Amino acid sequence: MELLITLSLLSTIICFLSSGTLGVLRPRGVSLPKKIFYDPAHHFHCLDGSGQFPFHFVNDDFCDCEDGSDEPGTAACKNGVFSCLNHGHVSLNLPSSRVNDGICDCCDSSDEYRSSADCFNNCKELGEAALEAARAVREKFLKGADIRSEYIRLGKEKKHEYKTLLDELNKQEKKALKVKNEKQDEKESAETRESIILSQEREFKQAQQRRIAAEKRRLLEQIIQEEAEARKAFSELDINKNGKLTSEEIKSFKRFDYDGDGKVGDNEVQFFMQKKEEMSQEEFLSSGWKVMKTAFIMDQTDETPAGFEFEEEIEQPSVESEEKPKITADNDEKIEILKDAAVARKDFADADKLFRDIQAEIWHLKRKMKADFGEEDEFLALEAQCFEFSEKRYLYKFCPFDKVVQVVKVNKEETLIGLWEGWGTGDDRYEHMKYSRGASCWNGPNRSVEVNLKCGTENEITSVEESSPCTYVIEFSTPALCTTLPLEIKKILQNDLPFI
């Protein structure tokens, strides 16, 4: 009986609504933007176009549409969506599977209309707390946005300074190139004079070396010839060929008759034998021949003495008469020429270094001018700065647009974990910085870092995490990213005072 009364009442309401007296009712779980698709006066069309059914099929606890749009207020469809209006707070969409599951998900408790859950409506309290928090975020954002505006101004000023400096460096480069070319000409001229002097000096030294070598060869040949004559003489004097000279053998040769009395006396023998009874070949070659040689020379009446022949033979007229190269400059002039060349080389090296230094600075400036420092150069304020974050074992140094370094606190050992690669991709590209090509891990890849940026009133690292081996994630807050208030904060503040 009660069921019949309820159905009758529902039919009356539907008929009444269809007359246009009242607006269309919103079925349970339907969000306000989708309200227009749920009109009790017409058949319900699945939102994905998968079918149409009488309107009383909506929220009948049976899933008829493939997208679950016919059951927004029940848990019948796995892919259904239930909308909490949450008046006084932010509306919320949740899977319809969580409807009547005994857990209060909506602050207005609308998701637990048919369960034993002890839910109560606390949207007002939550809304007030969320509003205060959103206001704090807005104040922080506005402060960060003001700082960002200053960053933009500084960035534009810096870019203008770069351009001015680049124009000046281009002028200096031309002047430096002119000076370098002049110094190069002076260096080449001085080195030409130096080369002539050094060449003449080398020729003179080479001639001296040739003469010394010739003299050494002459002396060596003389020694060899002298030894040959000595051995020949010993062989002649050693009558019995026993390898020794004796006094009797000396007396057999008239050439040792020094006083001309027709015989070789004991005194003469003692003189030539150096007071020895006998003399070995080694003693003869080392000392005896020097004494006896005169007797052999004097005895040769038909030939020029062998010793003199030797000396004449080894004389090298071509070498001795070789014209010595002449040094055109005296010593003082030579020193001055060498000094001038050294000074010219130093002057050229200084001019060349200045020219290359200017070129390097121009290259770096051009890179900075072409570099991406944000849509309005707001991140340029972070360049040439480094920020640190300390944890239990490590100290991290983050240098925007340059590198990230990990420092072991115990021994201060530094490890490069990333070099600047570029921004992220997509619409939120300026919210992510990528650093790669860090030091290689043991048996692993090179270290790399992703820096996630968020709006903040100060530039600071808020956390560092090694998300996977040798891959690091740094959270960094900066006013440079305070561009737009988050959508969820705007939604909370939509009925609040005007905000930026």
Side-chain angles (χ1 to χ4, degrees):
M1 184 67 180
E2 291 180 358
L3 179 60
L4 291 175
I5 295 173
T6 301
L7 291 175
S8 176
L9 179 61
L10 178 60
S11 176
T12 303
I13 293 174
I14 292 174
C15 292
F16 182 71
L17 290 174
S18 64
S19 65
T21 306
L22 292 175
V24 178
L25 285 178
R26 182 182 63 84
R28 188 188 303 276
V30 175
S31 63
L32 291 177
K34 293 182 179 179
K35 175 183 175 182
I36 59 174
F37 300 113
Y38 294 83
D39 186 353
H42 302 87
H43 278 60
F44 175 73
H45 294 262
C46 300
L47 299 186
D48 64 352
S50 59
Q52 61 175 340
F53 310 95
F55 193 81
H56 65 268
F57 279 35
V58 174
N59 284 339
D60 66 348
D61 210 17
F62 183 84
C63 191
D64 299 293
C65 298
E66 293 181 5
D67 63 352
S69 56
D70 64 311
E71 297 296 317
T74 74
C77 298
K78 294 180 179 180
N79 55 346
V81 177
F82 183 89
S83 178
C84 313
L85 286 183
N86 291 342
H87 291 296
H89 193 32
V90 179
S91 60
L92 175 68
N93 291 328
L94 59 136
S96 58
S97 59
R98 293 161 66 176
V99 173
N100 294 319
D101 63 351
I103 299 174
C104 303
D105 297 295
C106 303
C107 65
D108 61 3
S109 70
S110 59
D111 61 315
E112 299 299 319
Y113 62 90
R114 194 189 297 164
S115 77
S116 59
D118 186 16
C119 300
F120 61 93
N121 189 333
N122 62 343
C123 288
K124 181 179 179 181
E125 292 79 4
L126 292 176
E128 289 175 352
L131 181 61
E132 288 303 313
R135 285 171 178 169
V137 171
R138 179 181 62 187
E139 291 304 314
K140 187 176 181 180
F141 167 79
L142 291 175
K143 183 178 179 181
D146 287 341
I147 299 174
R148 180 178 183 274
S149 298
E150 180 66 13
Y151 282 1
I152 293 172
R153 185 187 69 79
L154 292 174
K156 294 186 182 303
E157 283 185 1
K158 201 69 175 177
K159 282 289 183 75
H160 180 70
E161 289 177 10
Y162 289 163
K163 185 179 183 307
T164 303
L165 181 56
L166 182 60
D167 293 340
E168 178 61 28
L169 285 173
N170 285 329
K171 295 177 183 177
Q172 291 181 17
E173 182 187 24
K174 293 179 180 178
K175 292 180 181 178
L177 179 59
K178 181 180 178 182
V179 172
K180 173 190 170 184
N181 291 336
E182 290 173 352
K183 295 300 180 183
Q184 185 172 8
D185 291 341
E186 293 175 4
K187 178 178 82 76
E188 290 175 354
S189 176
E191 286 181 337
T192 299
R193 294 193 299 273
E194 177 190 48
S195 178
I196 294 173
I197 290 295
L198 293 178
S199 177
Q200 291 175 342
E201 191 175 59
R202 281 194 298 272
E203 290 176 4
F204 178 75
K205 289 181 178 179
Q206 289 170 359
Q208 281 185 322
Q209 290 171 354
R210 287 196 296 271
R211 286 194 297 275
I212 291 171
E215 181 66 20
K216 287 181 178 179
R217 286 196 302 272
R218 186 185 70 80
L219 290 174
L220 181 59
E221 290 170 359
Q222 184 178 356
I223 292 170
I224 294 172
Q225 182 68 24
E226 187 82 9
E227 184 178 345
E229 290 179 357
R231 289 181 182 278
K232 181 180 178 183
F234 183 85
S235 179
E236 181 183 344
L237 297 173
D238 186 15
I239 298 173
N240 59 9
K241 305 303 180 184
N242 65 349
K244 295 181 181 180
L245 296 182
T246 62
S247 300
E248 294 303 320
E249 287 174 326
I250 294 300
K251 288 179 180 182
S252 301
F253 294 91
K254 290 183 178 181
R255 61 169 57 95
F256 297 116
D257 180 11
Y258 220 73
D259 56 8
D261 63 356
K263 64 177 181 178
V264 181
D266 292 336
N267 290 335
E268 290 168 324
V269 171
Q270 287 186 1
F271 171 75
F272 286 109
M273 288 291 288
Q274 298 178 349
K275 299 181 179 181
K276 297 177 180 179
E277 290 298 323
E278 60 181 20
M279 182 180 294
S280 66
Q281 184 178 6
E282 289 74 17
E283 290 175 318
F284 179 81
L285 294 176
S286 63
S287 61
W289 173 243
K290 294 178 182 178
V291 177
M292 297 183 192
K293 180 179 179 181
T294 305
F296 275 81
I297 294 173
M298 296 293 292
D299 188 53
Q300 298 179 17
T301 58
D302 298 331
E303 299 178 2
T304 304
F308 292 111
E309 283 182 1
F310 177 76
E311 290 181 0
E312 290 179 0
E313 185 178 317
I314 65 173
E315 287 181 358
Q316 303 293 332
S318 60
V319 175
E320 294 297 332
S321 62
E322 181 179 356
E323 184 179 353
K324 299 179 181 179
K326 296 180 180 178
I327 305 297
T328 57
D330 59 24
N331 193 54
D332 291 340
E333 186 179 357
K334 183 186 100 171
I335 293 174
E336 193 65 28
I337 289 173
L338 297 179
K339 180 180 177 182
D340 289 345
V343 171
R345 276 191 290 269
K346 182 180 183 305
D347 289 346
F348 170 74
D350 292 343
D352 182 58
K353 182 178 182 302
L354 177 62
F355 176 70
R356 286 186 286 107
D357 287 347
I358 292 173
Q359 281 189 318
E361 195 167 351
I362 288 174
W363 182 79
H364 285 297
L365 269 179
K366 285 182 177 179
R367 281 195 65 191
K368 286 184 178 182
M369 292 185 70
K370 291 179 181 179
D372 186 357
F373 291 108
E375 294 178 350
E376 299 178 273
D377 294 322
E378 63 272 24
F379 289 96
L380 185 54
L382 303 183
E383 192 217 12
Q385 294 192 60
C386 290
F387 306 93
E388 296 183 352
F389 182 83
S390 179
E391 59 174 28
K392 186 175 181 180
R393 294 181 57 194
Y394 300 108
L395 176 70
Y396 292 89
K397 293 181 180 179
F398 164 53
C399 304
F401 311 105
D402 186 10
K403 62 185 177 181
V404 183
V405 175
Q406 181 190 65
V407 184
V408 180
K409 287 185 174 181
V410 175
N411 56 15
K412 306 300 180 184
E413 179 182 353
E414 291 191 2
T415 301
L416 177 68
I417 61 175
L419 289 171
W420 168 247
E421 177 184 332
W423 295 102
T425 57
D427 295 336
D428 62 346
R429 61 191 304 263
Y430 293 117
E431 295 180 16
H432 308 280
M433 285 180 161
K434 295 186 179 296
Y435 292 77
S436 59
R437 296 168 292 136
S440 61
C441 285
W442 181 83
N443 198 26
N446 286 55
R447 291 172 171 82
S448 62
V449 185
E450 179 172 349
V451 181
N452 297 324
L453 293 85
K454 60 182 180 181
C455 170
T457 57
E458 295 182 2
N459 295 307
E460 61 178 347
I461 300 173
T462 56
S463 69
V464 177
E465 177 186 358
E466 189 171 1
S467 57
S468 61
C470 304
T471 301
Y472 304 82
V473 177
I474 293 178
E475 301 294 332
F476 184 74
S477 69
T478 173
L481 202 64
C482 294
T483 55
T484 305
L485 196 63
L487 184 62
E488 60 272 18
I489 301 300
K490 285 184 177 181
K491 191 173 181 180
I492 296 173
L493 296 171
Q494 59 187 348
N495 295 322
D496 201 28
L497 296 173
F499 60 88
I500 297 176

